[in-house]
Amino acid sequence: MDKIFELKGINAGYDNKIVLKNINFVVKKNDFIGIIGPNGGGKTTLLRVIIGQLKPFNGHVKYYHNLKNGNRNIGYLPQAFQIDKKFPISVMDVLLSGLISGKQLLKRISPQDKSKAYNLLDKMNIVHIKDRMIGDLSGGELQRVLLGRSIISEPILLILDEPDTFVDNKFEQDLYNTLLDLNKKMAIIIVSHDIGTISSYIKSIACVNQTLHYHDSNIITQEQLVSYDCPVQIIAHGDVPHTVLKTHKNES
Ligand SMILES: Nc1ncnc2c1ncn2[C@@H]1O[C@H](COP(=O)(O)OP(=O)(O)OP(=O)(O)O)[C@@H](O)[C@H]1O
Ligand SMILES: [Mg+2]
C-alpha cells in the first residue's frame, strides 16, 4: 500500500456553496486514474484541493510524501481556460518555471536546467518555438508547453485537467503514449470527457459529481455510471480497436 495522499471526509466549495461532499479518495504510487463527470460536477475543484490550492471546509488531506503546495513533487496541468495567455513569458521560461518551487522564486537557473528544458522541448517536437511568447501560440502548442512544464521536475504525482481539449488526434496519441511511459515513474490523475479514448490507458476511474465514486477498473458500463450518479455518455469509438468499454447489455 504505497499511498501518495489521502482525502478523508472532504467538504469543499466556494464562499458558502458546497461543491464537493464527503470525499474519500486514496491515490497510490503507480496509479493511473481517469476522473470523469459532468460539467460543473467539481472535478477541477477536487484537483485544487489535492494540490493545496483550495482549502476544504472540512476533512483532512494527508500527504505521505513531501507533496505540499508549491512543492514540485506534484506536476499540475490546469484546464486550458485558466491560463493567462497575455502574460509576457517565453516558451523556454515557462518550461524553466517548472523547476522552481514556490519557496525559491529567486533560484538561479543553471546551465543543466537549461539543457534539461531544451531536451524536453526537443523530445516533444517543439524546440522550434522555444523563444516564442506564450500568447502567440496555438491552443495545441500551448498545451504541449504546459505539459512540459508539469513534468520537467519529474514529480511523483502528475495531475492533468482535460489535456486533450485543444489537441489534434496525432498529439492526443503522442500524449497518451507519453503518459503511459511516465506512469512507470509517477502516479497520474487525468480529467477527461473522452472516457472512450482514455479507458485503454488508465487503470481505474473516479466519477465526480458532488460526491466521488471510485471504480477500481478501466471498464465501466452505462448502468454503473448511473448508479454512481455520474451522467456522462460513453462515446464508443468504433474504429478504435483498444476500446475496452462494455456496451449496453441486460446484465441482471
Ligand atoms: N472560483 C470559483 N468561485 C465560485 N464558484 C466556482 C469557482 N470555481 C468553480 N466554481 C463552481 O463550482 C462548481 C464546480 O466547478 P468545477 O470547475 O470544479 O467543475 P468541473 O467538474 O471541473 O467542470 P468542467 O467539466 O466544466 O471543467 C461549478 O458550479 C462552478 O461554477
Ligand atoms: Mg474543470
Side-chain angles (χ1 to χ4, degrees):
M1 275 293 272
D2 217 343
K3 291 181 189 174
I4 293 183
F5 75 86
E6 185 166 8
L7 305 186
K8 274 192 182 168
I10 294 285
N11 292 320
Y14 306 92
D15 303 318
N16 295 321
K17 182 178 144 185
I18 290 210
V19 172
L20 295 172
K21 274 188 197 156
N22 193 24
I23 304 288
N24 297 298
F25 188 38
V26 177
V27 173
K28 299 183 248 62
K29 272 191 182 171
N30 307 319
D31 273 349
F32 195 160
I33 304 173
I35 296 189
I36 59 172
N39 291 135
K43 301 178 295 299
T44 299
T45 303
L46 175 71
L47 301 187
R48 295 184 60 209
V49 170
I50 294 169
I51 64 166
Q53 208 182 68
L54 183 71
K55 198 172 160 354
F57 298 144
N58 326 92
H60 289 289
V61 187
K62 182 161 172 43
Y63 300 99
Y64 289 84
H65 294 260
N66 192 16
L67 275 187
K68 274 276 183 187
N69 192 15
N71 186 303
R72 284 294 164 190
N73 281 332
I74 301 185
Y76 176 52
L77 178 66
Q79 205 168 346
F81 65 81
Q82 296 174 335
I83 310 290
D84 181 3
K85 282 187 77 176
K86 292 195 198 86
F87 198 71
I89 180 170
S90 74
V91 165
M92 190 66 175
D93 287 340
V94 168
L95 239 74
L96 289 169
S97 72
L99 289 169
I100 298 168
S101 85
K103 288 190 203 102
Q104 30 163 216
L105 281 175
L106 297 175
K107 175 184 185 287
R108 286 179 77 121
I109 300 296
S110 68
Q112 285 87 345
D113 291 341
K114 278 195 176 163
S115 68
K116 202 172 189 176
Y118 188 93
N119 290 339
L120 189 55
L121 288 169
D122 194 27
K123 203 171 155 197
M124 300 179 89
N125 292 321
I126 47 172
V127 84
H128 59 284
I129 58 168
K130 73 180 176 50
D131 298 319
R132 295 253 295 273
M133 294 288 130
I134 55 160
D136 301 334
L137 303 180
S138 74
E141 286 169 339
L142 183 61
Q143 285 288 71
R144 276 170 231 231
V145 174
L146 296 175
L147 176 67
R149 180 182 68 168
S150 64
I151 60 176
I152 191 169
S153 63
E154 295 163 33
I156 51 177
L157 171 65
L158 176 62
I159 297 179
L160 308 153
D161 199 348
E162 298 190 35
D164 42 12
T165 310
F166 287 118
V167 302
D168 55 33
N169 286 345
K170 165 81 174 71
F171 178 55
E172 197 176 18
Q173 287 310 313
D174 288 352
L175 168 71
Y176 290 127
N177 289 325
T178 305
L179 294 182
L180 271 185
D181 208 35
L182 289 170
N183 186 225
K184 292 173 192 150
K185 290 178 278 183
M186 61 186 80
I188 299 179
I189 300 175
I190 178 170
V191 173
S192 177
H193 285 286
D194 191 355
I195 174 74
T197 300
I198 62 166
S199 62
S200 58
Y201 298 91
I202 57 178
K203 295 173 184 162
S204 61
I205 299 170
C207 300
V208 174
N209 187 17
Q210 274 212 350
T211 54
L212 184 152
H213 291 271
Y214 184 72
H215 182 78
D216 196 9
S217 160
N218 63 342
I219 301 171
I220 197 162
T221 63
Q222 205 77 56
E223 290 85 350
Q224 283 164 327
L225 287 168
V226 171
S227 74
Y228 295 153
D229 191 22
C230 200
V232 294
Q233 279 295 317
I234 296 174
I235 304 156
H237 293 267
D239 55 336
V240 181
H242 56 233
T243 298
V244 291
L245 290 162
K246 285 185 186 167
T247 49
H248 184 96
K249 278 189 206 132
N250 284 329
E251 293 175 325
S252 54

